Structure formats: C-alpha cells, structure tokens
Amino acid sequence: MTGPAATDADRRAPGGADPQALRDSAPRPVPPPAPWVRTRLRATPLSALLGAALAFVAVLLAAALPRAMDRGTDQALRSFLESRGPGQTSLYVTARPRYGEESVQDLDEVLATLVSRTAPGFAVAPAGPVHGSSASPRSLANRGLAAPDGVPPQLGLHHLRTASEHVRLVEGQWPGAPAPAPGSPIPIVMSQSAAKTIGIRVGMVLESATGRALTTMKAEVVGLYVANDDAEDYWTDFTCLLRACLNMTTTQPPQAFWRTEALVGAEALDPLPEWGDGDSKDFWRIPVDTGTLRADQLPATAKAVASYLSGPTAARLTQETRRSDLRFTSRLPEQFTLAEARRQAAAPLAAMGPAGVAGVAFVVFCLAAGLTGDRREAELRLLLARGGSRAGIVRRLLAENAVTVLPAAALATVLAVVLLPTPRSAGTVLAAAAATLLALLAVPVRAFVLLSPKRPPGPRRRLVAELLALAATAAAVFEVRSRGVAPAGAGVDPLLIAAPLLLALCGGLLLARLQPALVGALARAAGRGPGLIGFLGLARAARGTGGRARPSVLPLIAMLLAITTGGFGATVLTAVADARFAAARTAVGGDAQLAAPGGAALPESLTTAVEALPGVRSSVKVWSDDNVFLYGTKTGSTQISVIVADPVEYAKLSAATGRGRFDPALLATGAAGTSGATVPALISRDLADDDTSGFRLRLENGGELKLTTVGVIDGTPARPGARSTTVVLPAAQVMAAIPQMGLPNAWFALGDVDQHRLQQAVRTADPTAGEERYRVRTSSAATAELGSDPLQRSAERLFWASLAGAAGFALLAVLLTLVRAAPDRAALLARLRTMGLRPRQGILLILVESVPLALAAALGGALLAAGTVALLGPALDLSTLVGTRVPTGLQVLVTPVLIQALGLAVLVAGAVLAEAAISGRRQITTELRAGDQR
C-alpha cells in the first residue's frame, strides 16, 4: 500500500535545517596565493627591465672580453709568423743523394711519408711542399761571360718537382729523355733574366772550371723561362733561379761575381752529384700552415715540431723512409719562442684595462643592490615580522632575479659567441658565469645583510679593513718595483694587474675620510654668506642621505677606478705613440729622407722639387761618405764616416731627432780657402781621446783637409742606427776648399711630409728613376709600419674599449647614487618649494650637492693615475707595443691623465644636470601632492 506523499516538513533535514541554506552557508575554498615572482615583476616592471639590461651589458662584456683577446692573440701570432716568410716557418729535410739509384718516384715517396707525419699539431701550408735535388755551383770557364771584377760566374743546378707549373718557357724547350750519356753536356733551362745578365744564349754549352773536381763538366742551355710570379712562396730559397745574384768573394779586398742556378729534368738526377763535386743533396721543404695555428695551442704545437725535428717522430721517419741520413732543420722553434715572448710581454698591459672595468662593474652592482635594498627594506622587514625567515626571503629574491637575469645572461653569452667567433669557449663560459653570478646574488646578499641583526657601531672594524687594504697595496707596489714585471712565459702578472686597482681603492678610502671634513668646512664658510643654496648643497654633500652619517664611498671608488684605469691606459698609449714616432724619426733621420744608394749624387732638380712639397718646414742637403780615412789618430789612420752639411739646418735636424745635438755657431768659425785649409769639425766621442791637433782628412776624390776640432757629438741623424766613427763638417768651408765635391747624395727634411707625395715628386722630377734608384722614406710611413702589428692593434683596441666601459659604468654608478638619494632630495625640495624656492634654484641645489663628488673624483683620480704611473712605470717595458726596442720605463704624462679625469668629470656633471632637469620637477610635484609621510 502506497503511503501518503511526502510533505515539505518530511523533506527537511534532521533538526529542521534547510539543505539549500546549509549549502549557501558552507565555507568556500580559499583561492591559492598569487605566485610571488609574477606578482613582484608585474608590480615593478621598469625595475625588472633595468636589472635585466644591466645584467645583459655586464655579461656581454664579460663574455666578449676573452673571445676578443683570443682572436687578437691568434691573429697576432699568425701575422707575426707570416711576416717571417716561408723560409722561417718551414721544415727542411735533407739527405745525401742515392748515387745510381736516384729517381723522382723515390723523392715523391719520401715526401708523402714526411707530410703524413705533420698532423696532429700542425699542417702543411696550402702553397704545398717543394722538393727535389740540388748541386752546389761550379765556376764557368767560358769566355765572354760577365765577370764584374774578373771573377767568373758560377752555376748551380737543381731539379725541382712541379717547377714547370710555376714558370713558362719563352725560348727553346724543356730537358727530356733520354738521359745524357757520361761525359756529354747536361741539358738545362735557366732564367731569361739571368741569361741576359751573364751573357748566355740558348744552345750555348757551358764548361765548368777545374776546381776540386778531377774533371770538367758541361751543361747545355736548351731553354729559357720566366716565372709566373716572382713573389710566389715556391721560389723561397731559390731566388738565383729567377735572376742572376751578385755575390762577393771572401778575399781581401772583396770581389764581385755573378751566381745563378738552372733547372734540369728528371733524367739528369744521376749527374747532379758529380756537378756538385760531392756537395749535393736531396731536399724537402715543408711549409707549415701558420693560418691555422692558435696561441693557446702553441706549446703543444712547439712540442710536436720539436718531435718532428729531433724526437720520436724524426726517428720513425728515418725508419719509414729507409734513409738513415735524413737531417731535419727549421727556424720554427725560435719563431715560436719569440712569438710567445711577445704575447707574454703584451699580456699584462692588455689585462689592466679589463681588470679596471671589472672593478667598476662590481661597484655598480653593489650600488644597484643597495638601491634595491633601500627601496624594499620596509617590505622585507614586514615579511620578516610576519613569520618569514631570512633564508626564505633570500630564496624568493633569488627567484625574482633568476627570472630576469638568467635569460638576459644567456642572450648576452650567445650574442658574444656569434659576434666574436673563436674555437675556445672555456674562458667565455667562466667569465659569463662569474658576471651572471654577481648579477644574480647582489640583491639577495644585500637583503640578507639588511635583515641580519644589527651589530653595534664598530669604527675599529672599518679602520682595520682600511689598514689591511693599505698594507696589501704597499706590498703589491713594492713587489712589482723590486722584481719588475713577471718574465715571459710566466703568464699575466697578477700583482701588476692588481696594483692599480688597489691604489684606486686606497685613494677612495682616503678621500671618503677627507671629503666630509673638507666639504663640511666649505659648507660652514658658505653658511656665512647671504645665500642658502650653496650652504644647503654643500651640507648635504658632507653627510649621507637617508639618515647616514657620511656619504657612500662606493660611487667615489667607482669613479676613482675608472679615472685611474683610464689615466694609466691613456698614459701607456700616449707613451707608445710618442716612442714609436721617436723611433721612426731616428730610423729615417728626420721626417723625410731621400738618398741615392751607392754614393750617387742627387740631381739639383730633384732636391728642388722635394723641398717645395707641402709640409716641409726645413730641409738640409748632405754629402756623406763612409770610405774616408782620417790621419793623425792613435792607430795612424782610421776609416770614418764624413757628413758635410749646412750647420744651421743640420743642427735643427740633429735637435729634432735627438742625435748629435750641437750649437751651429761652432761650425761657423775656421778658415776657408784652397785645398789644405783648416776646417772646423765635430767628431764622435771615440775620437775625443786622441790628439786632435793633427787630424787630416783624405777624401776619395783626392781632396785633403786639415781639421780643427770644435766639438764632440754622440751620433748623426744621417746614419740612423750606425755607431761608426763620424766627423761632421760645414758645407761652405768644404766646398770652398774642395770645389770638386759635387752634388749631395742625401736629403733630409722636417715637417709633415706624406710618403706618397714624396714618391710622386721623385717620379715626376726624375721619370727614369726606378724603385731602387732612390731610397725614399718618411717618419709617418715608418710609424705606421711600426704600429701595423696586430698584437699592438689588439692591445690598443682593448685599452680604448676598457676606457669606454669603465667610464660608462662609472657614470652609471653616479646615476644610481642620484636615484638612491632621489626620495630624500625630493622631500627636501618639496619643503623648500613651500618656502619660496624657485625651480632653477632647486636644480642649482642638486648640482652643488653633486659637484664635490665629481671634483674629488677628478682630482683624486688624476693624482692616483699619476702616482700609479710613477710607482709602476719603471717596471714596464713598452718595446712590444712600440714595435722596436725602447728603454724600459714609463714616465708621468700630464695631458692624457687630465683629459681622462676632466672628461669623466664633465660626463658626471652632465648626467647630474640631466637627471635634475628631467626628474627633479616631477619628484617635487609628487611630494607636494602626496604630502610628507616621513
């Protein structure tokens, strides 16, 4: 039986409660908290973006630095070895010919074995090996051949594999089979230039003179050739195959004779040893590919080359080629040693700039962390008061930084790798990781310090830290001054790198103690005046902001590091440029030189044309002769160098080059007349101890002069680098005494003379002049040549890049300091605005507050840079950067130091003015609207 329908009362829950009401009153689930990192980044997007940008720039510079240095050292190594030429960078293997068994197949097989052992470590240059067999030259007995001093010409024979690929036949034919019968002439082909010089024609049979050989031999000229490219590396060591070479005998006096060489075919390999009269050899020249060498692998490459020359590799090659008399030689080990010494010499100087940038960047990150800590201090302390732990808060801050820093660091590292390709990556990874770690941990470490229990003030702790820094600086400077720079092969000298940074640190600590007292005294003095702007600005500069007792030392240290690094680097670069110019002037003998080799005279039209060139301030014509005898010396007669020139102009030249300075009035005295007259003379120091009263000079043209010594000189610009005995005579008196002197053979000038214009003037004045007829040189071209080394250019670029980076980071440090003080400054300006302060006065107040920092940093940095040069300069050797040997030591130069100091001070002042003009009014307005909540 069905019961009655359920009523509303029956549907109620037990206890009379309505189910819908129970559902409505049930507690709803609490939504999960918003992610911390996302919330914080959304709250301060600009701060996050700036942090990422700072990390990106720092990591990019850190990652790019080792790659740029690697590329620079590799390029410098390759350029240095390439400039040595293939003769200095090749492996030479020689062996005695196999008499009666000589064949081209055997020569090729030996070459293949030798080449197979060149890798790993080094490879064969693309130009390829050169191999063959050669016989030493014999004198030719044919009549009618050119013989300059009556000495017959000499002819050497070579068989070069693949020689036909590098020359073209212009007359006759190539030697070919069959092999010449015993006693018959050897078919040869020779250079057309050599044949023309010596007087040889196609078809001529050349007979050797009887020397040590028991029998004479003959060679028949069957063809003439010219080289496809005379400058090709293939012809290294075989220049006499391209032209006749003028040699000198070892007899006294030396006699000139022609020497040339000719090519023979493969069928003439057996007669070659007989032509050489026992002095013959098979040879293989294997050029090393310098374009693939790397500076970091140079020790391993040197070890592999040493093994090839006289180690296990050489022993295996001797066994594999079945030639027990193989002899291995090369100049490569010496060149490797020189290249490594150059790199090590330049490494400390090149590393100083990047070290300074790293120091300034570290300070900037500390300032950025301080700014972030100050702005978030209340928030962090609130979290700590609500139960958060220091470790938990630091982890959250670390996560915040990781979201912005890690992508920026990864992008910067990838960009450095793409922009600066190099096979080495270890240095890049380490430098980028260090910069990333600094950017990542700066803010968390600052927060950890802020949240740590405060300790009571400890002035002694600061004093102890400063004394420790001072002691470390003194020890580093003393050690560098005592022992000098670390020797080549010892790597970068850490003390030499650290000493400038330590000096800047000590200077910053000292200025941090002196600045408040000095600025406070200025503030008190300004307070006695009628205006308040100067007093308020200086008073704020004398104390810290935000309740601090003194100004922050970090911005001062950043600027001092930048100025010290910049001043020291600029001094080095300026000294290098000056030394390079002085060395070039010494080498040229002035700013321009025009000389006729061999004592030939310069036409008057030529000297007149070059004197009229733009830039020539003064010039002097010089008669010089090295084959003059001076009688009356201790040994009876001495061969000397005589310089005859106008005293006034020659004195200017000597003063400009720094060699042989004298007063031109000394040579204005003396009698002039016929041959035998007394002529005033300047003598070199090695003649000063002789009895100068009896000096007589006999010239090659027969003229004779009696000399009156009027002074002593230490050299002559007319003989750059020469240390021979020298006598300088006045041109007017000598020409009056010996009219047959003729025209001068050299011309020297001072001024800004262009090399190309000088060469063009010579070609215009004398159209028949060839490249070797006149020697044309200028100091500008010589300076450019000295500075063309990639090692020097790399070090200079690194210096300038470091200076720019340090200045940029220092400027950023100042801006961070201004931003850090902005809230306190805005509150002050807002109060002053209510009391009638005008906007312009507000900007002036900000400038007055910031000027002491800039001035203290500029003056202190200039003094520190000069002190660094004075303390460390005597230990520096700039020869590698100059390009030639110069005296060790670096002197203080005022101009480059002041330029760096004042330049950075102007940048800082401009940044302060811009910050005050852009943000000052907005901050004041905000403060006036919001009210003073402090």
Side-chain angles (χ1 to χ4, degrees), residues 157-454:
L157 300 183
H158 295 275
H159 171 69
L160 294 183
R161 301 289 291 150
T162 69
S164 58
E165 301 175 5
H166 301 271
V167 299
R168 67 179 185 277
L169 204 64
V170 294
E171 188 176 351
Q173 61 183 3
W174 284 101
S184 61
I186 302 174
I188 64 172
V189 290
M190 63 188 309
S191 165
Q192 184 184 44
S193 172
K196 182 178 180 181
T197 300
I198 300 177
I200 297 175
R201 301 178 303 278
V202 173
M204 180 179 291
V205 176
L206 305 175
E207 297 183 3
S208 66
T210 303
R212 293 177 298 167
L214 298 178
T215 59
T216 60
M217 294 192 67
K218 299 179 181 180
E220 181 182 0
V221 181
V222 297
L224 302 177
Y225 62 81
V226 294
N228 296 333
D229 183 7
D230 291 357
E232 193 178 6
D233 291 346
Y234 184 87
W235 301 111
T236 301
D237 304 323
F238 301 109
T239 55
C240 293
L241 277 171
L242 303 179
R243 65 186 65 86
C245 303
L246 187 63
N247 291 8
M248 303 298 293
T249 64
T250 57
T251 60
Q252 290 297 332
Q255 294 177 302
F257 67 94
W258 292 110
R259 176 177 177 268
T260 190
E261 294 166 351
L263 294 172
V264 302
E267 71 284 348
L269 281 175
D270 285 336
L272 274 184
E274 186 178 358
W275 180 274
D277 194 15
D279 188 7
S280 304
K281 62 183 178 183
D282 294 339
F283 62 89
W284 298 265
R285 190 187 79 214
I286 305 174
V288 173
D289 187 5
T290 59
T292 60
L293 297 181
R294 289 165 44 181
D296 64 316
Q297 295 181 349
L298 192 59
T301 303
K303 185 176 180 181
V305 170
S307 175
Y308 195 97
L309 296 176
S310 59
T313 305
R316 286 195 296 269
L317 288 172
T318 301
Q319 296 175 357
E320 293 174 3
T321 58
R322 297 184 300 279
R323 290 210 177 199
S324 58
D325 59 341
L326 282 182
R327 185 171 179 266
F328 301 84
T329 57
S330 179
R331 301 295 298 273
L332 261 178
E334 301 174 17
Q335 303 306 322
F336 286 164
T337 302
L338 289 175
E340 182 65 15
R342 294 172 72 253
R343 187 185 72 83
Q344 294 291 351
L349 299 176
M352 284 184 182
V357 176
V360 181
F362 178 80
V363 173
V364 168
F365 274 107
C366 292
L367 281 170
L371 174 62
T372 303
D374 289 350
R375 290 192 168 184
R376 298 183 62 178
E377 183 177 4
E379 170 198 346
L380 299 178
R381 291 194 182 279
L382 180 60
L383 290 174
L384 188 65
R386 290 184 174 182
S389 64
R390 284 192 299 168
I393 295 173
V394 168
R395 284 197 298 270
R396 289 177 182 271
L397 293 176
L398 189 62
E400 284 184 38
N401 271 9
V403 172
T404 57
V405 169
L406 293 182
L411 179 61
T413 305
V414 172
L415 187 61
V417 171
V418 172
L419 294 179
L420 299 171
T422 180
R424 297 183 286 281
S425 300
T428 301
V429 173
L430 290 176
T436 303
L437 196 63
L438 177 62
L440 198 61
L441 297 180
V443 173
V445 169
R446 175 60 179 170
F448 184 83
V449 173
L450 280 175
L451 299 178
S452 299
K454 291 187 176 182

